[in-house]
């Protein structure tokens, strides 16, 4: 699944055992003590109470493994007029231990009937035995009580008739609507089950370990089509004009990957080189926007089959653009569902960045067909095995298939973004405990996605591309159609080799005499599992401190903490027991050779072979760590950048800027030193480095502007416009050049117009006027479309016209740009109208409310408005999205994380305390409080320095 953060302009168990049953490739593991039927019969009072007042025979959140599913035969009939559905299922199960009950997940169903058949019953056509059904909503579980004890090692068939309402949100089996060009509102039905929402659509064993096969039948009206994971094998005509589609039985898979859609969409199809039929579906008026997705999907699927050396196992792959969708996309096997802006591409309104985004999301979801679908994590604590790898495979696949998109450079930002979160004490390990549905939902965050991808990239750089790929293929083939955990991946990354078979990087797989997870690096044995455990089982990011004494490099590793200074009383305690095995890389001014060293201790010493003016660690930012150069280290880089910045690689120049400002936030480097590092930027030719330096300066401007510190705001504004004027003036209002040219153009012109640079405002105003006069028919270059709309939105006629065009537009990319522009208004009544429309969900869809609130809160005029709205309407927001949803987390962080005063911190803390008193708690609460505290501390320490630095340059 792709999360939506990037759409914003982002247990104690007792015992352990795993028993393989008689069927191949099925292993069901239990991490908890399991009460038996006897325990329940002896002491029913020790168990929770079902809704009817009777004892519920199970008290764990995780299901027992006494009964496991083998096959589901599922029938569904949604009614898109009454917005409900009728359904039935027969689940073939295997009883592993004798029991008198079967526990399933079920949520919001009315169960009409439940019966049980043995194989003998079916063979002799005996009637099934009626089952009593108990419900325990707190755990979203039902218990089927059997009249006679089920016998171990036998198969049974559980038949359930049930019905329910199509959900209102974005989870389970829910309704979605879209508006046609003619203004008609049409309804479709769609599923989205990850992580724990399959239970909303049908009673099931809704945990990733309980893999099974699924045979699905869907009844529909003739004006609709039905889609599911597998191809349709037949359609039966029924009385009353209804049709019933039967689909092929799926491969073994987890419940969260089951999917079905009933809609009236149109599609375009193509075929991969191995014969897989790929189809892109969209609402009829958006069919013309599907063609790029088809091209990219076919190309990427071909690439993955070759890279993984495993054919995509299904005969077809459908990608569907859903009008209402909570995340960016969902990787359902054979039927991938997308938010429209993540799949559709309109050449007239989609920018170069939009194209990169669509390509990335397609690449991400297709990677999941192997990482996640073919091999699934055992439990949600290791969701990073799905999401981190899918994020990383975006890099590998897009670089190979669309090199012109230059995603390799953009990947740096993926890692820089997660460092902001991981450098807070409220971060969590990549592999983290998660029990409740809310805790599981919270695992779908930037740590699992981005940090997971970044440490995989670091591992690939350490192993070499060839060895890394070999390990990936081994992992996927060994655990196909099964489940895996962290250690299984690390073991697959280590294989046998001859001691003399070293790569140029000094790496070799171990020979047969070494342990299965050992490799040799420059003559030293290295445990992959031991090394990677330091990155997955502890939170945070290391800081490598480098001190030069002649040719000696004294190294020290610490835990990097943003907003916590070394002189703070709590700093030392936060450092305890943190140690990483860091695969260091470094280069010098004297040579382009990349040197390597594994830092496994708190301190170490390296010796240079020759004198050199500087040493740069973390070459090309392939490592997940921050570097601080003590003594004269930073001065040497400032001097080199001013003299000849091209002696350093573009990514290294970018990482120097990033690390310097991160070190400022930790009190390890003065702000004036970091600002001096950016003085060379007017000569910078790399868009990557230029955008990074510009981004920090712009962030400081907005932080100080929101606090209304007018003298510094004005001086910083004048400095930005004067210092970057040469590069601003060279920007054309066009779509020319590479994707990085486009991103630089968009960023510079947006900054110029935000700062009221007269030539920028005039050009944007002229284009907006021409666009209005053409009744929206004029094609404005897509790279500057958002800028033109934003300037146009500052007048009441312009704002009103944009809102009209927003409602009429058939392009999700254009609607995003218009909505952002509308949110830049300085009139609170207009901003409030947008929020109300987002809550209503008709003109502005509810799926866009979180990003809208985030955008409004960025401005001085909107920050209090958005925050007060969230506090006053918290109950309604929670009802729309659910506590642990990504939308709620974005709404909380998006409307508070920019605060930088003690009064604001106290306001937020009191609000969070009131929620906790109601039993509502999210990890994001602590993250927000730490972020605000960090902002306060940054201003207290650095505002005088910034004021002085700017005055010296006016």
């Amino acid at each position: 699944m792709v999360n939506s953060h990037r759409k914003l302009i982002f247990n104690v168990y007792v015992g352990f055992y795993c028993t393989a049953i008689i069927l191949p490739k099925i292993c069901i593991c239990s991490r908890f003590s399991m009460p038996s039927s006897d325990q329940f019969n002896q002491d029913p009072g020790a168990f929770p109470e079902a809704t009817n007042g009777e004892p519920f025979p199970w008290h764990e959140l995780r299901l027992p493994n006494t009964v496991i599913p083998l096959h589901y035969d599922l029938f569904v009939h949604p009614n898109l007029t009454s917005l409900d559905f009728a359904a039935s299922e027969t689940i073939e199960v295997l009883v592993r231990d004798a029991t008198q009950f079967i526990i399933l997940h079920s949520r919001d169903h009315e169960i009409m009937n439940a019966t049980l058949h043995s194989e003998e019953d079916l063979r002799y056509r005996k009637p099934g035995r009626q089952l009593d059904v108990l419900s325990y909503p707190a755990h979203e579980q039902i218990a089927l009580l059997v009249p006679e004890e089920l016998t171990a090692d036998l198969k049974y068939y559980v038949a359930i008739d049930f019905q329910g309402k199509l959900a209102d949100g974005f989870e389970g089996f829910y309704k979605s609507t879209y508006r046609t060009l003619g203004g008609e509102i049409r309804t479709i039905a769609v599923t989205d089950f990850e992580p724990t929402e399959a239970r909303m659509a049908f009673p099931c064993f809704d945990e990733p370990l309980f893999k099974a096969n699924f045979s699905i039948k869907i009844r529909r009206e003739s004006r609709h089509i039905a889609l599911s994971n597998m191809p349709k094998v037949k359609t039966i005509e029924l009385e009353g004009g209804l049709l019933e589609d039967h689909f092929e039985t799926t491969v073994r898979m987890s419940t969260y990957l089951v999917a079905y859609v009933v809609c009236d969409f149109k599609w375009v199809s193509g075929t991969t080189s191995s014969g897989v039929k790929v189809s892109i579906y969209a609402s009829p008026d958006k069919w013309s926007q599907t063609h790029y997705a088809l091209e990219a999907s076919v190309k990427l699927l071909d690439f993955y089959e070759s890279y993984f050396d495993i054919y995509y196992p299904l005969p077809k792959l459908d990608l569907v653009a859903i009008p209402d969708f909570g995340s960016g996309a969902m990787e359902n096997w054979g039927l991938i569902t997308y938010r429209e802006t993540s799949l559709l591409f309109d050449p007239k309104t989609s920018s170069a960045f939009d194209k990169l985004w669509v390509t990335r999301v397609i690449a991400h979801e297709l990677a999941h067909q192997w990482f996640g679908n073919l091999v699934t994590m055992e439990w949600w604590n290791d969701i990073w095995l799905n999401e981190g790898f899918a994020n990383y495979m975006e890099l590998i696949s897009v670089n190979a298939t669309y090199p012109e998109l230059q995603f390799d450079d953009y990947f740096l930002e993926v890692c820089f973004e997660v460092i902001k979160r991981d450098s807070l004490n409220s971060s969590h390990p990549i592999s983290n405990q998660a029990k409740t549905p809310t805790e599981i939902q919270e695992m779908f965050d930037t740590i699992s996605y981005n940090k997971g991808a970044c440490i995989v990239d670091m591992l690939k750089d350490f192993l070499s591309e060839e060895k890394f790929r070999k390990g990936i293929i081994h992992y996927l083939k060994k655990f196909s159609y099964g489940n895996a955990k962290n250690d299984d991946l690390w073991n697959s990354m280590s294989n046998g080799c001859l001691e003399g078979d070293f790569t140029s990087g000094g790496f070799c797989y171990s020979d047969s005499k070494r342990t299965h997870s050992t490799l040799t690096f420059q003559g030293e044995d290295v445990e992959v599992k031991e090394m990677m455990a330091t990155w997955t089982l502890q939170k945070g990011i290391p800081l490598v401190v480098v001190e030069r004494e002649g040719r000696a490099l004294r190294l020290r590793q610490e835990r990097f903490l943003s907003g916590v200074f070394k002189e703070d009383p709590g700093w030392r305690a936060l450092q305890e027991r943190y140690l990483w095995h860091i695969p260091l890389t470094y280069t010098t001014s004297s040579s382009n050779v990349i040197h390597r060293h594994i830092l496994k201790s708190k301190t170490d010493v390296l010796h240079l072979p020759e004198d050199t003016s500087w040493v740069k660690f973390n070459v090309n930012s392939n490592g997940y760590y921050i570097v601080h150069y003590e003594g004269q280290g930073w001065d040497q880089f400032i001097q080199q950048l001013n003299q000849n910045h091209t002696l350093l690689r573009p990514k290294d120049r970018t990482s120097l800027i990033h690390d310097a400002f991160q070190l400022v936030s930790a009190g390890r480097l003065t702000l004036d030193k970091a600002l001096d590092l950016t003085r060379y930027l007017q000569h910078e030719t790399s868009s990557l480095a230029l955008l990074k330096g510009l981004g920090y300066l712009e962030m400081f401007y907005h932080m100080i502007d929101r606090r209304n510190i007018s003298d510094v705001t004005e001086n910083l504004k004048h400095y930005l416009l004067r210092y970057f004027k040469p590069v601003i003036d060279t920007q054309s209002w066009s779509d020319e050049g590479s994707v990085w040219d486009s991103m630089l153009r968009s960023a510079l012109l947006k900054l110029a117009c935000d700062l009221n640079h007269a030539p920028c405002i005039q050009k944007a105003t002229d284009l907006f006027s021409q666009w209005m006069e053409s009744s929206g028919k004029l094609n404005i270059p897509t790279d500057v479309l958002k800028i033109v709309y934003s300037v146009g939105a500052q007048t009441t006629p312009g704002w009103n016209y944009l809102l009209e065009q927003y409602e009429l537009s058939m392009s999700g990319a254009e609607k995003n740009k218009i909505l952002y522009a509308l949110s830049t208004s300085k009139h609170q009544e207009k901003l409030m109208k947008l929020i109300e429309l987002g809550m209503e969900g008709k003109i502005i869809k509810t799926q866009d409310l979180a990003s809208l609130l985030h955008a409004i809160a960025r401005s001085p005029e909107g920050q209090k408005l958005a925050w007060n709205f969230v506090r006053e309407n918290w109950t309604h927001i929670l009802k729309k999205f659910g506590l642990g949803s990504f939308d709620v987390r974005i709404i909380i962080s998006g409307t508070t994380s920019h605060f930088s005063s003690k009064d604001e911190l106290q306001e937020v803390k009191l609000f969070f305390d009131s929620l906790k008193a109601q039993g509502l708690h999210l990890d994001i609460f602590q993250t927000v409080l730490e972020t605000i505290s960090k902002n306060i501390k940054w201003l207290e320490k650095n505002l005088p320095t910034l004021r002085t630095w700017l005055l010296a340059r006016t």
Side-chain angles (χ1 to χ4, degrees):
M1 177 165 63
V2 167
N3 257 331
S4 304
H5 56 277
R6 64 285 160 254
K7 77 173 185 274
L8 298 171
I9 299 318
F10 88 72
N11 310 349
V12 177
Y13 298 116
V14 180
F16 178 85
Y17 58 91
C18 179
T19 307
I21 66 169
I22 54 175
L23 295 180
K25 293 202 174 185
I26 297 181
C27 180
I28 301 296
C29 301
S30 174
R31 287 190 176 96
F32 42 76
S33 58
M34 220 173 53
S36 65
S37 297
D38 289 341
Q39 287 177 289
F40 172 66
N41 291 332
Q42 292 167 8
D43 187 15
F47 290 80
E49 189 175 285
T51 51
N52 66 354
E54 295 182 22
F56 191 82
W58 187 251
H59 54 64
E60 301 282 356
L61 276 166
R62 297 281 296 272
L63 297 181
N65 64 1
T66 50
V67 178
I68 61 172
L70 303 177
H71 178 267
Y72 293 77
D73 202 326
L74 177 63
F75 163 80
V76 184
H77 180 197
N79 187 320
L80 300 188
T81 302
S82 59
L83 302 179
D84 53 20
F85 67 92
S88 63
E89 66 180 346
T90 299
I91 312 174
E92 179 185 358
V93 299
L94 177 71
V95 176
R96 296 180 62 250
D97 295 303
T99 181
Q100 285 189 298
F101 54 81
I102 299 171
I103 306 297
L104 298 170
H105 285 112
S106 179
R107 177 176 156 193
D108 298 331
H109 297 133
E110 180 184 354
I111 294 178
M112 321 297 290
N113 187 48
T115 56
L116 179 76
H117 290 83
S118 66
E119 289 190 296
E120 181 181 339
D121 291 338
L122 294 180
R123 189 179 304 119
Y124 296 107
R125 298 185 179 180
K126 293 181 180 179
R129 286 163 284 179
Q130 200 71 30
L131 300 177
D132 290 331
V133 182
L134 300 180
S135 178
Y136 186 47
H139 288 179
E140 299 177 349
Q141 293 172 355
I142 58 172
L144 306 179
L145 307 183
V146 299
E148 299 174 8
E149 188 174 75
L150 303 181
T151 306
D153 299 326
L154 291 185
K155 293 180 184 177
Y156 293 85
Y157 299 84
V158 178
I160 304 174
D161 299 324
F162 59 99
Q163 61 187 23
K165 294 283 186 182
L166 291 175
D168 287 324
F170 310 103
E171 300 173 336
F173 193 24
Y174 70 94
K175 65 178 183 293
S176 173
T177 62
Y178 72 92
R179 185 186 60 82
T180 68
L181 271 174
E184 179 189 357
I185 302 298
R186 294 182 181 176
T187 302
I188 70 169
V190 60
T191 60
D192 192 49
F193 292 161
E194 190 178 34
T196 60
E197 281 76 47
R199 65 194 66 176
M200 293 177 66
F202 58 98
C204 57
F205 297 80
D206 199 13
E207 295 180 7
L209 266 173
F210 291 111
K211 290 193 169 186
N213 304 99
F214 297 82
S215 299
I216 295 173
K217 303 179 184 69
I218 298 176
R219 192 169 293 177
R220 60 178 171 86
E221 295 179 51
S222 58
R223 61 193 173 102
H224 293 132
I225 61 171
L227 304 170
S228 190
N229 304 84
M230 298 297 287
K232 183 173 63 177
V233 290
K234 66 178 178 180
T235 298
I236 300 173
E237 294 188 12
L238 304 171
E239 292 182 5
L242 292 177
L243 302 174
E244 186 174 290
D245 295 328
H246 294 216
F247 297 89
E248 287 183 23
T249 300
T250 69
V251 295
R252 287 190 70 245
M253 63 187 196
S254 303
T255 47
Y256 76 87
L257 295 171
V258 174
Y260 35 93
V261 178
V262 177
C263 64
D264 61 348
F265 288 179
K266 292 186 176 180
W267 64 96
V268 59
S269 299
T271 306
T272 68
S273 58
S274 62
V276 178
K277 182 181 179 183
V278 178
S279 302
I280 315 296
Y281 289 80
S283 59
D285 294 323
K286 297 177 182 178
W287 176 86
S288 62
Q289 301 174 42
T290 60
H291 295 86
Y292 175 71
L294 179 63
E295 173 206 308
S297 301
V298 170
K299 190 180 289 190
L300 285 160
L301 199 61
D302 277 336
F303 169 81
Y304 282 134
E305 288 189 329
S306 173
Y307 186 88
F308 295 136
D309 193 31
I310 301 171
Y311 284 118
Y312 173 75
L314 308 186
K316 66 93 176 174
L317 176 62
D318 297 333
L319 296 82
V320 189
I322 305 298
D324 301 277
F325 204 74
S327 61
M330 176 57 209
E331 65 268 18
N332 317 298
W333 215 344
L335 180 59
I336 307 176
T337 43
Y338 291 78
R339 184 178 286 225
E340 289 181 332
T341 49
S342 298
L343 186 66
L344 304 181
F345 181 81
D346 176 17
K348 293 181 180 179
T349 57
S350 298
S351 66
F353 187 77
D354 292 330
K355 190 172 192 177
L356 174 60
W357 172 243
V358 168
T359 312
R360 284 183 59 194
V361 180
I362 293 172
H364 183 103
E365 303 309 324
L366 265 59
H368 271 314
Q369 307 303 296
W370 286 265
F371 277 100
N373 299 8
L374 186 66
V375 180
T376 312
M377 73 276 141
E378 283 191 357
W379 183 246
W380 300 107
N381 61 300
D382 277 335
I383 187 57
W384 85 273
L385 287 174
N386 287 17
E387 300 300 348
F389 260 96
N391 254 26
Y392 178 68
M393 289 310 302
E394 292 176 27
L395 172 66
I396 298 295
S397 62
V398 175
N399 276 351
T401 54
Y402 289 93
E404 69 274 14
L405 293 179
Q406 298 173 277
F407 183 49
D408 183 57
D409 289 338
Y410 188 80
F411 189 76
L412 260 69
E413 200 56 41
V414 171
C415 299
F416 291 160
E417 185 65 28
V418 70
I419 286 172
K420 289 190 293 189
R421 170 76 174 89
D422 207 22
S423 60
L424 299 175
N425 190 46
S426 57
S427 183
H428 64 80
I430 287 178
S431 183
N432 198 34
Q433 295 179 8
K435 296 185 292 183
T436 68
T438 296
E439 289 170 347
I440 291 167
Q441 281 184 314
E442 287 189 279
M443 286 297 293
F444 289 80
D445 67 356
T446 186
I447 299 295
S448 297
Y449 283 73
N450 290 10
K451 184 178 179 179
C454 296
I455 68 163
V456 169
D457 184 47
M458 180 173 65
L459 179 63
K460 185 268 295 180
D461 184 64
F462 171 65
L463 294 176
S464 81
E465 170 64 36
E466 178 189 356
K467 303 299 183 184
F468 174 82
R469 183 184 172 202
K470 181 180 177 183
I472 291 302
I473 292 171
H474 180 267
Y475 169 79
L476 289 173
K477 289 186 174 179
K478 181 175 181 179
F479 296 98
S480 288
Y481 303 103
N483 300 79
K485 53 187 182 297
N486 264 340
D487 290 354
D488 298 322
L489 177 63
W490 309 141
N491 291 338
S492 293
M493 288 294 176
S494 301
N495 267 318
C497 74
L498 299 174
E499 288 186 2
D501 184 22
F502 288 92
T503 67
S504 59
F507 166 81
C508 173
Y509 280 107
S510 66
D511 63 25
S512 58
K513 295 180 181 178
R514 295 191 177 91
T515 63
H516 68 289
S517 62
T518 306
L519 52 83
T520 300
F521 176 84
Q522 297 182 340
E524 179 184 359
D525 286 353
V526 179
E527 278 278 345
V528 177
K529 174 181 171 182
E530 181 185 357
M531 179 176 80
M532 296 310 295
T534 68
W535 298 97
T536 58
L537 301 183
Q538 64 181 351
K539 65 183 178 181
I541 178 171
L543 170 67
V544 176
V545 181
V546 182
E547 184 179 8
R548 279 187 64 187
E549 295 180 5
R551 292 187 181 179
L553 296 175
R554 300 194 180 278
L555 308 179
R556 183 172 77 252
Q557 68 162 289
E558 303 170 3
R559 179 187 176 195
F560 178 75
L561 287 163
S562 183
V564 183
F565 297 168
K566 199 169 184 178
E567 58 267 26
D568 290 348
W571 182 86
R572 189 166 299 279
L574 293 172
Q575 295 290 327
E576 290 179 2
R577 297 186 301 279
Y578 281 89
L579 182 70
W580 287 266
H581 292 188
I582 311 172
L584 299 175
T585 57
Y586 61 98
T587 188
T588 72
S589 61
S590 307
S591 169
N592 282 325
V593 174
I594 298 176
H595 304 276
R596 297 178 181 273
H597 176 72
I598 300 177
L599 180 62
K600 295 194 289 186
S601 54
K602 283 285 189 182
T603 61
D604 208 344
V605 180
L606 299 177
H607 296 279
L608 299 172
E610 56 188 339
D611 293 331
T612 184
S613 59
W614 49 260
V615 181
K616 169 67 173 68
F617 276 78
N618 199 5
V619 180
N620 280 327
S621 279
N622 284 321
Y624 187 73
Y625 54 93
I626 288 173
V627 186
H628 177 40
Y629 303 91
E630 289 193 332
Q632 301 300 308
W634 285 104
D635 292 324
Q636 290 163 351
F637 284 122
I638 291 170
Q639 182 180 357
Q640 180 64 73
L641 290 171
N642 285 326
Q643 289 177 353
N644 182 4
H645 65 274
T646 62
L647 287 186
L648 285 151
R649 298 170 175 84
K651 287 185 180 180
D652 286 332
R653 304 197 295 267
T654 306
S655 70
L656 282 172
I657 295 170
H658 169 266
D659 285 7
F661 284 106
Q662 289 299 311
L663 289 164
V664 170
S665 74
R668 303 301 287 268
L669 191 68
T670 59
L671 177 61
D672 56 346
K673 190 81 73 177
L675 290 169
D676 286 345
L677 192 74
T678 68
R679 291 287 290 170
Y680 89 98
L681 282 175
Q682 59 188 185
H683 307 295
E684 179 59 84
T685 54
S686 165
S687 297
L688 186 67
L690 196 52
L691 281 168
K692 178 49 63 178
L694 184 68
Y696 279 112
L697 294 171
E698 189 176 1
M699 179 179 72
F700 300 155
Y701 173 82
H702 287 301
M703 176 188 288
I704 294 161
D705 187 34
R706 281 192 292 261
R707 286 293 304 275
N708 196 27
I709 307 171
S710 57
D711 64 315
V712 180
T713 301
E714 282 302 306
N715 285 338
L716 183 50
K717 170 185 171 179
H718 293 314
Y719 173 78
L720 285 166
L721 289 176
R722 185 179 73 254
Y723 186 72
F724 287 102
K725 185 178 187 301
V727 68
I728 289 172
D729 289 346
T730 61
Q731 301 304 310
S732 64
W733 292 68
S734 68
D735 289 332
E736 299 171 352
S738 71
V739 65
W740 279 100
D741 293 333
S742 296
M743 285 194 278
L744 181 63
R745 177 184 303 119
S746 296
L748 285 168
L749 294 179
K750 176 182 177 299
L751 175 65
C753 283
D754 283 350
L755 298 179
N756 290 313
H757 184 47
C760 185
I761 296 293
Q762 187 61 54
K763 180 66 174 179
T765 300
D766 290 345
L767 284 172
F768 187 79
S769 297
Q770 294 168 29
W771 179 69
M772 278 187 67
E773 289 167 6
S774 73
S775 300
K777 301 289 192 299
L778 177 69
N779 289 330
I780 299 173
T782 59
D783 290 344
V784 299
L785 199 53
K786 184 160 71 173
I787 300 161
V788 171
Y789 288 164
S790 297
V791 171
Q794 301 315 305
T795 68
T796 295
W799 195 91
N800 290 335
Y801 186 73
L802 280 166
L803 185 57
E804 292 172 12
Q805 292 301 115
Y806 180 87
E807 188 173 3
L808 295 172
S809 177
M810 284 291 147
S811 165
E814 182 180 39
K815 288 171 86 78
N816 273 356
K817 294 174 179 64
I818 293 176
L819 188 57
Y820 173 84
L822 292 169
S823 75
T824 64
S825 172
K826 294 175 173 55
H827 298 283
Q828 291 208 352
E829 67 276 11
K830 289 183 171 64
L831 299 178
M832 196 64 226
K833 181 177 181 178
L834 292 178
I835 295 173
E836 289 168 354
L837 290 173
M839 286 293 286
E840 184 185 44
K842 293 179 180 177
I843 294 175
I844 298 175
K845 284 187 170 289
T846 303
Q847 66 178 4
D848 297 316
L849 179 63
S851 56
L852 173 63
L853 286 167
H854 180 273
I856 289 173
R858 291 175 351 105
S859 70
E861 296 80 13
Q863 57 178 346
K864 283 293 184 183
L865 180 74
W867 166 231
N868 289 336
F869 177 83
V870 170
R871 286 191 295 173
E872 294 164 9
N873 294 272
W874 174 254
T875 303
H876 299 299
I877 290 170
L878 206 59
K879 186 177 179 181
K880 279 184 178 294
F881 299 109
L883 180 62
S885 69
F886 193 79
D887 292 271
V888 163
R889 285 178 277 153
I890 287 296
I891 288 170
I892 291 172
S893 63
T895 56
T896 58
S897 293
H898 56 277
F899 288 155
S900 56
S901 73
K902 292 180 180 178
D903 287 344
E904 289 168 329
L905 176 63
Q906 184 63 17
E907 267 188 21
V908 175
K909 187 176 184 302
L910 287 173
F911 177 63
F912 289 167
D913 286 344
S914 71
L915 297 182
K916 291 176 186 176
Q918 302 169 43
L920 304 176
H921 177 74
L922 292 172
D923 291 342
I924 195 70
F925 293 172
Q926 186 58 33
T927 300
V928 165
L929 295 176
E930 279 190 51
T931 301
I932 299 173
S933 298
K934 181 182 75 171
N935 296 342
I936 295 169
K937 203 166 188 176
W938 193 97
L939 278 175
E940 289 175 347
K941 184 176 180 66
N942 296 303
L943 184 60
T945 303
L946 180 59
R947 180 179 277 121
T948 302
W949 192 86
L950 289 169
L951 284 172
R953 284 154 184 83
T954 55

